PDB file of all heavy atoms in Angstrom:
ATOM      1  N   GLN E  13     113.813 123.212 104.378  1.00  0.00           N
ATOM      2  CA  GLN E  13     113.260 121.890 104.644  1.00  0.00           C
ATOM      3  C   GLN E  13     111.871 121.976 105.256  1.00  0.00           C
ATOM      4  O   GLN E  13     111.628 122.738 106.180  1.00  0.00           O
ATOM      5  CB  GLN E  13     114.166 121.131 105.610  1.00  0.00           C
ATOM      6  CG  GLN E  13     115.517 120.782 105.014  1.00  0.00           C
ATOM      7  CD  GLN E  13     116.321 119.959 105.962  1.00  0.00           C
ATOM      8  OE1 GLN E  13     115.875 119.639 107.055  1.00  0.00           O
ATOM      9  NE2 GLN E  13     117.528 119.605 105.555  1.00  0.00           N
ATOM     10  N   LEU E 272      98.084 107.127  78.337  1.00  0.00           N
ATOM     11  CA  LEU E 272      97.282 105.928  78.549  1.00  0.00           C
ATOM     12  C   LEU E 272      95.820 106.263  78.251  1.00  0.00           C
ATOM     13  O   LEU E 272      95.105 106.853  79.067  1.00  0.00           O
ATOM     14  CB  LEU E 272      97.425 105.414  79.984  1.00  0.00           C
ATOM     15  CG  LEU E 272      98.694 104.606  80.323  1.00  0.00           C
ATOM     16  CD1 LEU E 272      99.955 105.448  80.182  1.00  0.00           C
ATOM     17  CD2 LEU E 272      98.607 104.032  81.726  1.00  0.00           C
ATOM     18  N   ALA E 274      92.994 104.161  75.574  1.00  0.00           N
ATOM     19  CA  ALA E 274      92.877 103.089  74.599  1.00  0.00           C
ATOM     20  C   ALA E 274      92.530 103.643  73.224  1.00  0.00           C
ATOM     21  O   ALA E 274      91.577 104.404  73.066  1.00  0.00           O
ATOM     22  CB  ALA E 274      91.816 102.093  75.054  1.00  0.00           C
ATOM     23  N   SER E 374      86.624  82.637  51.696  1.00  0.00           N
ATOM     24  CA  SER E 374      85.537  81.667  51.800  1.00  0.00           C
ATOM     25  C   SER E 374      85.924  80.605  52.816  1.00  0.00           C
ATOM     26  O   SER E 374      87.103  80.436  53.152  1.00  0.00           O
ATOM     27  CB  SER E 374      85.254  81.004  50.450  1.00  0.00           C
ATOM     28  OG  SER E 374      86.335  80.160  50.072  1.00  0.00           O
ATOM     29  N   GLY E 548      83.768 110.406  67.666  1.00  0.00           N
ATOM     30  CA  GLY E 548      82.623 110.613  68.547  1.00  0.00           C
ATOM     31  C   GLY E 548      81.380 109.878  68.109  1.00  0.00           C
ATOM     32  O   GLY E 548      81.070 108.800  68.609  1.00  0.00           O
ATOM     33  N   SER E 625      93.979  93.449  85.414  1.00  0.00           N
ATOM     34  CA  SER E 625      93.133  92.319  85.825  1.00  0.00           C
ATOM     35  C   SER E 625      92.632  91.510  84.652  1.00  0.00           C
ATOM     36  O   SER E 625      92.008  90.463  84.839  1.00  0.00           O
ATOM     37  CB  SER E 625      91.935  92.739  86.693  1.00  0.00           C
ATOM     38  OG  SER E 625      90.857  93.239  85.908  1.00  0.00           O
ATOM     39  N   GLN E 626      92.915  91.926  83.420  1.00  0.00           N
ATOM     40  CA  GLN E 626      92.336  91.257  82.267  1.00  0.00           C
ATOM     41  C   GLN E 626      92.910  89.866  82.032  1.00  0.00           C
ATOM     42  O   GLN E 626      92.288  89.037  81.366  1.00  0.00           O
ATOM     43  CB  GLN E 626      92.490  92.097  81.001  1.00  0.00           C
ATOM     44  CG  GLN E 626      91.610  91.623  79.859  1.00  0.00           C
ATOM     45  CD  GLN E 626      91.220  92.721  78.927  1.00  0.00           C
ATOM     46  OE1 GLN E 626      91.188  93.888  79.303  1.00  0.00           O
ATOM     47  NE2 GLN E 626      90.921  92.384  77.699  1.00  0.00           N
ATOM     48  N   GLY E 759     119.007  96.420  80.225  1.00  0.00           N
ATOM     49  CA  GLY E 759     118.557  97.006  78.974  1.00  0.00           C
ATOM     50  C   GLY E 759     118.350  96.005  77.858  1.00  0.00           C
ATOM     51  O   GLY E 759     118.116  96.401  76.715  1.00  0.00           O
ATOM     52  N   SER E 946     102.415  58.584  86.824  1.00  0.00           N
ATOM     53  CA  SER E 946     101.782  58.600  88.151  1.00  0.00           C
ATOM     54  C   SER E 946     102.625  57.932  89.226  1.00  0.00           C
ATOM     55  O   SER E 946     102.238  57.924  90.396  1.00  0.00           O
ATOM     56  CB  SER E 946     100.417  57.915  88.081  1.00  0.00           C
ATOM     57  OG  SER E 946     100.561  56.554  87.693  1.00  0.00           O
ATOM     58  N   GLY E 948     106.375  57.531  91.156  1.00  0.00           N
ATOM     59  CA  GLY E 948     107.695  58.090  91.388  1.00  0.00           C
ATOM     60  C   GLY E 948     108.774  57.065  91.085  1.00  0.00           C
ATOM     61  O   GLY E 948     108.537  55.851  91.076  1.00  0.00           O
TER      62      GLY E 948
END
Side-chain angles (χ1 to χ4, degrees):
Q13 293 184 1
L272 281 64
S374 69
S625 81
Q626 195 151 335
S946 62

